[in-house]
Amino acid sequence: MMVIGLVLAPVAVNMAMGKTGDGAAVLVPERTALFISMLSLAVTVLVSLKGRGMLRLIPILCGITAGYLVSLLQTIPTPVMGGIMLLLFGAIMVVGLNSLVKAGEDLMEPRNMCIVSLVLVFGIGGMVFSAGDFSIKGIGLSGILGVLLNLVLPRSRRPAA
């Protein structure tokens, strides 16, 4: 049984990388294939660890389902996904600003204005931070910037109203 697993291991690796079992042809771009295969693996492992009794039979089905779901989403044209992402991230921004307003935060206070404006400009403007092979941009960079500014900038000395 172990020998069969060892013989099939290269086939599994090739398939996870988007190639045919023998690695002769590329069926799916490697990055896409690795994303789908790692997502399927993660779902399968989580369900198998959390599953009890007969539920232990479900991980394979969950892994396959997750892979097919991601594959289905990949069939949506890039411009359509771009439009959806614009609305999604814009709505997230509005919800965040609304939360600040409802919490009674004064967005005209210099500290708050600095944080909010820099986060928005870095995220929307496409700012990129690179150091060697490492690079971060967009929402990731904006989120990190917001957390750092919140920690570094001094808080107002005025008592909250």
Side-chain angles (χ1 to χ4, degrees):
M1 198 66 158
M2 186 174 92
V3 173
I4 293 173
L6 291 174
V7 170
L8 292 178
V11 174
V13 169
N14 283 328
M15 291 175 70
M17 292 173 51
K19 301 175 184 175
T20 56
D22 61 356
V26 176
L27 303 173
V28 179
E30 186 174 341
R31 290 181 67 158
T32 302
L34 284 173
F35 177 75
I36 293 169
S37 62
M38 291 303 113
L39 178 68
S40 298
L41 176 64
V43 169
T44 304
V45 168
L46 281 173
V47 173
S48 69
L49 291 175
K50 299 294 181 184
R52 303 283 184 248
M54 289 298 287
L55 291 178
R56 291 184 181 255
L57 299 176
I58 298 176
I60 294 172
L61 295 175
C62 290
I64 292 170
T65 304
Y68 279 119
L69 179 63
V70 170
S71 296
L72 177 68
L73 289 175
Q74 300 255 334
T75 64
I76 298 173
T78 302
V80 173
M81 285 303 287
I84 292 169
M85 295 296 212
L86 286 172
L87 181 61
L88 172 69
F89 294 128
I92 291 170
M93 179 186 69
V94 170
V95 168
L97 288 172
N98 190 40
S99 298
L100 288 172
V101 170
K102 281 187 175 183
E105 295 293 331
D106 180 11
L107 295 182
M108 295 308 291
E109 180 185 336
R111 176 185 190 274
N112 294 340
M113 185 183 295
C114 180
I115 293 172
V116 171
S117 63
L118 287 174
V119 165
L120 289 175
V121 170
F122 271 44
I124 295 169
M127 176 66 89
V128 178
F129 174 77
S130 297
D133 289 340
F134 176 77
S135 177
I136 187 166
K137 61 182 179 178
I139 294 172
L141 178 59
S142 295
I144 292 170
L145 177 70
V147 170
L148 291 175
L149 288 174
N150 191 43
L151 292 172
V152 171
L153 293 178
R155 300 204 180 269
S156 174
R157 294 177 192 220
R158 291 182 284 159

